[in-house]
Amino acid sequence: MSKPKPKVRKEVISMSKQGLEERIQNFNEVAFGYAEEEAVAEAERCLQCKKAPCVKACPVEVDIPEFIRLIKEHRFDEAIKKVKEKNSLPAICGRVCPQEEQCQADCTMGKIGDPISVGRLERFVADWERERGYDVPQKSASTGKRVAIVGAGPAGLTVAADLTKLGHEVVVFEALNKPGGVLVYGIPEFRLPKAIVAAEAEYIEKLGVTIKTNAVIGKLYTVEELLESFDAVFVGTGAGLPRFMRIPGENLCGIYSANEFLIRVNLMKAYKFPEYDTPVWVGKKVVVIGGGNSAMDSARSALRLGADEVWVVYRRSRKEMPTRMEEVENAEEEGIKFKFLSNPVRYFGDERSWVKGIECIAMELGEPDESGRRRPIPIKGSEFIIDVDTVVVAIGNTANPLIQQTTEGLEVTKWGTIVVDEETGKTSKEGVYAGGDIVSGVATVISAMGAGKRAARAIHEYLMNKR
Amino acid sequence: MYNIVTKRELVPHINLFEFSAKEIAVKTKPGQFIILRVNEKGERIPLTMADVDPEKGTITVVCHEVGKSTRQLGQLEEGDCILDLLGPLGKPAEIGKFGIVLCIGGGVMVAPLYFQAKALHEAGNKVIGGIGARTENQLIFENEMREVCDEFYVATDDGTRGYKGLGFLEELLKERKIDRVITMGPILMMKKVSELTRPYSVPTIVNLIPIMVDGMGMCGACRVTVGGRTLFACVDGPDFDGHQVDFEELMTRLKMYSPQEKLAFVFYEEGGSSL
């Protein structure tokens, strides 16, 4: 006897957001997240298909159909445990992963309607757990092995969590005053509340990991020195060095790197100045140069800090922007304007050496370059001027160089990134592994976590075979 | 948390702090700096170190109260703690055997200059010290400097003590063969010293701490133009060739947050304290 098949809802359950008028005046999180009944309704849409293309596309291999099934059955506690078997930072990933390019890209449901919103469901169970207090899993028996992790960003924290669960003693060295790396200094509060990063880092500490902040490796200790008291070292120092265009006038007052702007606002909480001591200055008209996530984050932050008008100037067209489209939509909705196919040539200052104008040149797109995107080419004689009070240069970051400069025998690429074996994260130096942006150059949180996961597996194997 | 082992008021509003920070003390070389934060809402304050005691496990800095954050630090006492202390940052100063080295310091920066002068003295150089301040009762680290200098000069802007202004330096440059000049102090003073030594082609090193946030090369707030190139003071310095530095740009960039700094100070003094 077969039961009649219930009709499956094709449209995704939408997630409520802060009202537009309100949200551009505060730094609170824009999206509210699912309520219980919304999460269950979204979970009910999952077809539980056998081939599970979502799992194959997840860099950290979360058993997605299974945790969604548990949500459907209101077994939230088991659902989050299922997620955490593979992902120690679910509240973060649920918010900042580009799911549309990964787990949701080939979703079977997506072929007949909207793909299942895996990210929102992940966020839901992670938040559900955090509000109730973390359940810390049992640790394996101690192996007596010690691992040092350099950098408490997404890669480092993932390695730390995986290795401590296997019984190794793990110490994470973080140069900044808080753990999280780009999650605390780069991504703004309105996309990823810092309390959530702190809570997930705290969870990793509860697993048994020691996080030592204000510890800059390469200065305080070299990797060589760490190897004297640790059996292995993982380097996850990220891509934190800002790029400038090296054009005339770039050192005028009022011109920030995206890193400076975002570190002030996010890590130092300059949006709460003078309650917090670190200031940030934003004029009436702000121009952000670049088309990545940092550009969108800077533009949306500038708006919230009181700018009347915020422009994003990008040298290619909308299609080539490296940012998530969701972020462009959010930015546009909030009133950010875009000037595509334009590139700054030089900056002008006033008598006090504050920036007041940008000379730009129009661009056209030529043949695809090595990134596969069409190369922008300046159009002769097309120069034009934009008046401006504040400029944020968000054209990307390069690898942090300190470890490479202070570690002998570490093979490095011409871009300054560390050379590793893709599958294991093994570097050219015995006992030293690396992963995340320090290897790939600027990429995503989840790809760094995926690299961390692979490295953790390899480090474990290395430690267990080491005499 | 990092403990204040010693606090000493050198002159009004200039305090010496000795922090317990064993790991940093062991690694620090003259010329390097630390970044500290008093509390959770505090700014990151960069300070060039004035001394270390690796055995005792302490580092010494001297801080002038010029705004809210430095005032807040100044109000702490021995036994109190600060939240964050990061270092050693920046490249160490070049300490070699140069011959006759002139160490010219002004204001609060005489303290970190002492650390370099001491190392240069120990490295076998003949060290000539020249320290100054706005006025007599603002002079600091005179005894410490005397101990490590083979020859010693004192100057004040107003002439209340020693030479008036940098006249003694002009005389020294004229009369003696100087192999190297190290200068640490207000930007205007370092600029002037660099201009005075330029005609004599004496290598002149300045120690620059512009506005910075992370202090590790991530923000680029501290960018300075040196010999036409943009460098980051925090990782490429803080020591630079004084004959190559664009001091005008440096001074302009230092004033970038003046209005906000004043606002924060007023807010603090009027009881909006974040302590």
PDB file of all heavy atoms in Angstrom, chain A residues 244 246-247 250-251, chain B residues 220 222-232 236 249:
ATOM      1  N   PHE A 244      47.966  48.187  -2.194  1.00  0.00           N
ATOM      2  CA  PHE A 244      47.652  49.542  -2.644  1.00  0.00           C
ATOM      3  C   PHE A 244      47.927  49.582  -4.136  1.00  0.00           C
ATOM      4  O   PHE A 244      48.578  48.698  -4.684  1.00  0.00           O
ATOM      5  CB  PHE A 244      48.500  50.574  -1.896  1.00  0.00           C
ATOM      6  CG  PHE A 244      48.045  50.816  -0.479  1.00  0.00           C
ATOM      7  CD1 PHE A 244      48.628  50.147   0.578  1.00  0.00           C
ATOM      8  CD2 PHE A 244      47.026  51.718  -0.208  1.00  0.00           C
ATOM      9  CE1 PHE A 244      48.200  50.360   1.890  1.00  0.00           C
ATOM     10  CE2 PHE A 244      46.590  51.939   1.093  1.00  0.00           C
ATOM     11  CZ  PHE A 244      47.181  51.260   2.143  1.00  0.00           C
ATOM     12  N   ARG A 246      49.569  52.031  -5.600  1.00  0.00           N
ATOM     13  CA  ARG A 246      50.815  52.765  -5.827  1.00  0.00           C
ATOM     14  C   ARG A 246      50.634  53.820  -6.923  1.00  0.00           C
ATOM     15  O   ARG A 246      51.386  53.886  -7.895  1.00  0.00           O
ATOM     16  CB  ARG A 246      51.979  51.814  -6.143  1.00  0.00           C
ATOM     17  CG  ARG A 246      52.139  50.762  -5.055  1.00  0.00           C
ATOM     18  CD  ARG A 246      53.521  50.171  -4.981  1.00  0.00           C
ATOM     19  NE  ARG A 246      53.635  49.292  -3.814  1.00  0.00           N
ATOM     20  CZ  ARG A 246      54.080  49.680  -2.620  1.00  0.00           C
ATOM     21  NH1 ARG A 246      54.446  50.926  -2.408  1.00  0.00           N
ATOM     22  NH2 ARG A 246      54.147  48.834  -1.616  1.00  0.00           N
ATOM     23  N   ILE A 247      49.574  54.616  -6.759  1.00  0.00           N
ATOM     24  CA  ILE A 247      49.338  55.729  -7.687  1.00  0.00           C
ATOM     25  C   ILE A 247      49.507  57.031  -6.917  1.00  0.00           C
ATOM     26  O   ILE A 247      49.442  57.039  -5.686  1.00  0.00           O
ATOM     27  CB  ILE A 247      47.927  55.642  -8.328  1.00  0.00           C
ATOM     28  CG1 ILE A 247      46.835  55.570  -7.249  1.00  0.00           C
ATOM     29  CG2 ILE A 247      47.839  54.433  -9.267  1.00  0.00           C
ATOM     30  CD1 ILE A 247      45.417  55.573  -7.812  1.00  0.00           C
ATOM     31  N   GLU A 250      48.142  58.527  -3.010  1.00  0.00           N
ATOM     32  CA  GLU A 250      47.505  57.466  -2.226  1.00  0.00           C
ATOM     33  C   GLU A 250      47.750  57.607  -0.713  1.00  0.00           C
ATOM     34  O   GLU A 250      47.041  56.992   0.080  1.00  0.00           O
ATOM     35  CB  GLU A 250      47.996  56.095  -2.720  1.00  0.00           C
ATOM     36  CG  GLU A 250      46.945  55.024  -2.643  1.00  0.00           C
ATOM     37  CD  GLU A 250      47.356  53.738  -3.368  1.00  0.00           C
ATOM     38  OE1 GLU A 250      48.543  53.584  -3.683  1.00  0.00           O
ATOM     39  OE2 GLU A 250      46.469  52.910  -3.621  1.00  0.00           O
ATOM     40  N   ASN A 251      48.742  58.420  -0.329  1.00  0.00           N
ATOM     41  CA  ASN A 251      49.001  58.603   1.099  1.00  0.00           C
ATOM     42  C   ASN A 251      48.322  59.832   1.672  1.00  0.00           C
ATOM     43  O   ASN A 251      48.610  60.238   2.800  1.00  0.00           O
ATOM     44  CB  ASN A 251      50.509  58.666   1.370  1.00  0.00           C
ATOM     45  CG  ASN A 251      51.185  57.332   1.111  1.00  0.00           C
ATOM     46  OD1 ASN A 251      50.508  56.308   0.943  1.00  0.00           O
ATOM     47  ND2 ASN A 251      52.504  57.339   1.058  1.00  0.00           N
TER      48      ASN A 251
ATOM     49  N   GLY B 220      48.234  49.315   7.242  1.00  0.00           N
ATOM     50  CA  GLY B 220      48.800  50.315   6.346  1.00  0.00           C
ATOM     51  C   GLY B 220      48.561  51.753   6.787  1.00  0.00           C
ATOM     52  O   GLY B 220      48.844  52.691   6.050  1.00  0.00           O
ATOM     53  N   CYS B 222      50.205  53.278   8.962  1.00  0.00           N
ATOM     54  CA  CYS B 222      51.500  53.875   9.301  1.00  0.00           C
ATOM     55  C   CYS B 222      52.369  54.087   8.075  1.00  0.00           C
ATOM     56  O   CYS B 222      53.579  54.183   8.201  1.00  0.00           O
ATOM     57  CB  CYS B 222      52.220  52.994  10.317  1.00  0.00           C
ATOM     58  SG  CYS B 222      52.723  51.404   9.629  1.00  0.00           S
ATOM     59  N   ARG B 223      51.759  54.148   6.886  1.00  0.00           N
ATOM     60  CA  ARG B 223      52.621  54.247   5.707  1.00  0.00           C
ATOM     61  C   ARG B 223      53.371  55.576   5.661  1.00  0.00           C
ATOM     62  O   ARG B 223      52.812  56.625   5.935  1.00  0.00           O
ATOM     63  CB  ARG B 223      51.857  53.965   4.418  1.00  0.00           C
ATOM     64  CG  ARG B 223      50.596  54.714   4.166  1.00  0.00           C
ATOM     65  CD  ARG B 223      49.790  53.963   3.077  1.00  0.00           C
ATOM     66  NE  ARG B 223      48.730  54.775   2.492  1.00  0.00           N
ATOM     67  CZ  ARG B 223      47.519  54.874   2.990  1.00  0.00           C
ATOM     68  NH1 ARG B 223      47.211  54.256   4.123  1.00  0.00           N
ATOM     69  NH2 ARG B 223      46.614  55.624   2.392  1.00  0.00           N
ATOM     70  N   VAL B 224      54.632  55.464   5.359  1.00  0.00           N
ATOM     71  CA  VAL B 224      55.505  56.633   5.256  1.00  0.00           C
ATOM     72  C   VAL B 224      56.213  56.580   3.904  1.00  0.00           C
ATOM     73  O   VAL B 224      56.478  55.497   3.381  1.00  0.00           O
ATOM     74  CB  VAL B 224      56.587  56.667   6.366  1.00  0.00           C
ATOM     75  CG1 VAL B 224      55.984  57.057   7.687  1.00  0.00           C
ATOM     76  CG2 VAL B 224      57.312  55.343   6.487  1.00  0.00           C
ATOM     77  N   THR B 225      56.494  57.753   3.361  1.00  0.00           N
ATOM     78  CA  THR B 225      57.233  57.785   2.113  1.00  0.00           C
ATOM     79  C   THR B 225      58.710  57.934   2.435  1.00  0.00           C
ATOM     80  O   THR B 225      59.117  58.887   3.094  1.00  0.00           O
ATOM     81  CB  THR B 225      56.741  58.932   1.220  1.00  0.00           C
ATOM     82  OG1 THR B 225      55.346  58.751   1.003  1.00  0.00           O
ATOM     83  CG2 THR B 225      57.464  58.944  -0.118  1.00  0.00           C
ATOM     84  N   VAL B 226      59.498  56.970   2.020  1.00  0.00           N
ATOM     85  CA  VAL B 226      60.947  56.982   2.268  1.00  0.00           C
ATOM     86  C   VAL B 226      61.630  56.789   0.918  1.00  0.00           C
ATOM     87  O   VAL B 226      61.447  55.770   0.260  1.00  0.00           O
ATOM     88  CB  VAL B 226      61.349  55.848   3.236  1.00  0.00           C
ATOM     89  CG1 VAL B 226      62.839  55.919   3.528  1.00  0.00           C
ATOM     90  CG2 VAL B 226      60.546  55.911   4.526  1.00  0.00           C
ATOM     91  N   GLY B 227      62.378  57.798   0.519  1.00  0.00           N
ATOM     92  CA  GLY B 227      63.062  57.729  -0.770  1.00  0.00           C
ATOM     93  C   GLY B 227      62.093  57.517  -1.922  1.00  0.00           C
ATOM     94  O   GLY B 227      62.394  56.807  -2.876  1.00  0.00           O
ATOM     95  N   GLY B 228      60.889  58.093  -1.798  1.00  0.00           N
ATOM     96  CA  GLY B 228      59.910  58.016  -2.878  1.00  0.00           C
ATOM     97  C   GLY B 228      59.073  56.750  -2.861  1.00  0.00           C
ATOM     98  O   GLY B 228      58.145  56.606  -3.643  1.00  0.00           O
ATOM     99  N   ARG B 229      59.391  55.837  -1.960  1.00  0.00           N
ATOM    100  CA  ARG B 229      58.614  54.590  -1.868  1.00  0.00           C
ATOM    101  C   ARG B 229      57.733  54.610  -0.633  1.00  0.00           C
ATOM    102  O   ARG B 229      58.127  55.132   0.410  1.00  0.00           O
ATOM    103  CB  ARG B 229      59.555  53.382  -1.761  1.00  0.00           C
ATOM    104  CG  ARG B 229      60.244  53.010  -3.069  1.00  0.00           C
ATOM    105  CD  ARG B 229      61.295  51.941  -2.809  1.00  0.00           C
ATOM    106  NE  ARG B 229      60.709  50.704  -2.318  1.00  0.00           N
ATOM    107  CZ  ARG B 229      61.330  49.860  -1.486  1.00  0.00           C
ATOM    108  NH1 ARG B 229      62.540  50.149  -1.038  1.00  0.00           N
ATOM    109  NH2 ARG B 229      60.752  48.748  -1.104  1.00  0.00           N
ATOM    110  N   THR B 230      56.546  54.006  -0.740  1.00  0.00           N
ATOM    111  CA  THR B 230      55.684  53.893   0.433  1.00  0.00           C
ATOM    112  C   THR B 230      56.075  52.664   1.222  1.00  0.00           C
ATOM    113  O   THR B 230      56.091  51.555   0.697  1.00  0.00           O
ATOM    114  CB  THR B 230      54.211  53.785   0.008  1.00  0.00           C
ATOM    115  OG1 THR B 230      53.844  55.002  -0.635  1.00  0.00           O
ATOM    116  CG2 THR B 230      53.301  53.579   1.212  1.00  0.00           C
ATOM    117  N   LEU B 231      56.426  52.872   2.484  1.00  0.00           N
ATOM    118  CA  LEU B 231      56.779  51.762   3.368  1.00  0.00           C
ATOM    119  C   LEU B 231      55.873  51.790   4.597  1.00  0.00           C
ATOM    120  O   LEU B 231      55.260  52.817   4.883  1.00  0.00           O
ATOM    121  CB  LEU B 231      58.247  51.870   3.797  1.00  0.00           C
ATOM    122  CG  LEU B 231      59.293  51.820   2.671  1.00  0.00           C
ATOM    123  CD1 LEU B 231      60.689  52.036   3.247  1.00  0.00           C
ATOM    124  CD2 LEU B 231      59.235  50.484   1.926  1.00  0.00           C
ATOM    125  N   PHE B 232      55.794  50.676   5.287  1.00  0.00           N
ATOM    126  CA  PHE B 232      55.019  50.608   6.529  1.00  0.00           C
ATOM    127  C   PHE B 232      56.000  50.709   7.698  1.00  0.00           C
ATOM    128  O   PHE B 232      56.894  49.875   7.821  1.00  0.00           O
ATOM    129  CB  PHE B 232      54.259  49.278   6.644  1.00  0.00           C
ATOM    130  CG  PHE B 232      53.128  49.115   5.654  1.00  0.00           C
ATOM    131  CD1 PHE B 232      52.375  47.950   5.658  1.00  0.00           C
ATOM    132  CD2 PHE B 232      52.799  50.118   4.759  1.00  0.00           C
ATOM    133  CE1 PHE B 232      51.327  47.786   4.759  1.00  0.00           C
ATOM    134  CE2 PHE B 232      51.748  49.956   3.855  1.00  0.00           C
ATOM    135  CZ  PHE B 232      51.006  48.782   3.858  1.00  0.00           C
ATOM    136  N   ASP B 236      58.501  47.643   8.134  1.00  0.00           N
ATOM    137  CA  ASP B 236      59.719  48.033   7.410  1.00  0.00           C
ATOM    138  C   ASP B 236      60.632  48.851   8.311  1.00  0.00           C
ATOM    139  O   ASP B 236      61.812  49.033   8.021  1.00  0.00           O
ATOM    140  CB  ASP B 236      59.358  48.839   6.163  1.00  0.00           C
ATOM    141  CG  ASP B 236      58.503  48.048   5.190  1.00  0.00           C
ATOM    142  OD1 ASP B 236      58.835  46.877   4.948  1.00  0.00           O
ATOM    143  OD2 ASP B 236      57.505  48.582   4.694  1.00  0.00           O
ATOM    144  N   GLU B 249      54.678  64.864   4.983  1.00  0.00           N
ATOM    145  CA  GLU B 249      53.568  63.913   4.876  1.00  0.00           C
ATOM    146  C   GLU B 249      53.325  63.222   6.223  1.00  0.00           C
ATOM    147  O   GLU B 249      52.189  63.066   6.657  1.00  0.00           O
ATOM    148  CB  GLU B 249      53.907  62.862   3.808  1.00  0.00           C
ATOM    149  CG  GLU B 249      52.820  61.822   3.599  1.00  0.00           C
ATOM    150  CD  GLU B 249      53.276  60.720   2.642  1.00  0.00           C
ATOM    151  OE1 GLU B 249      53.105  60.916   1.426  1.00  0.00           O
ATOM    152  OE2 GLU B 249      53.806  59.689   3.107  1.00  0.00           O
TER     153      GLU B 249
END
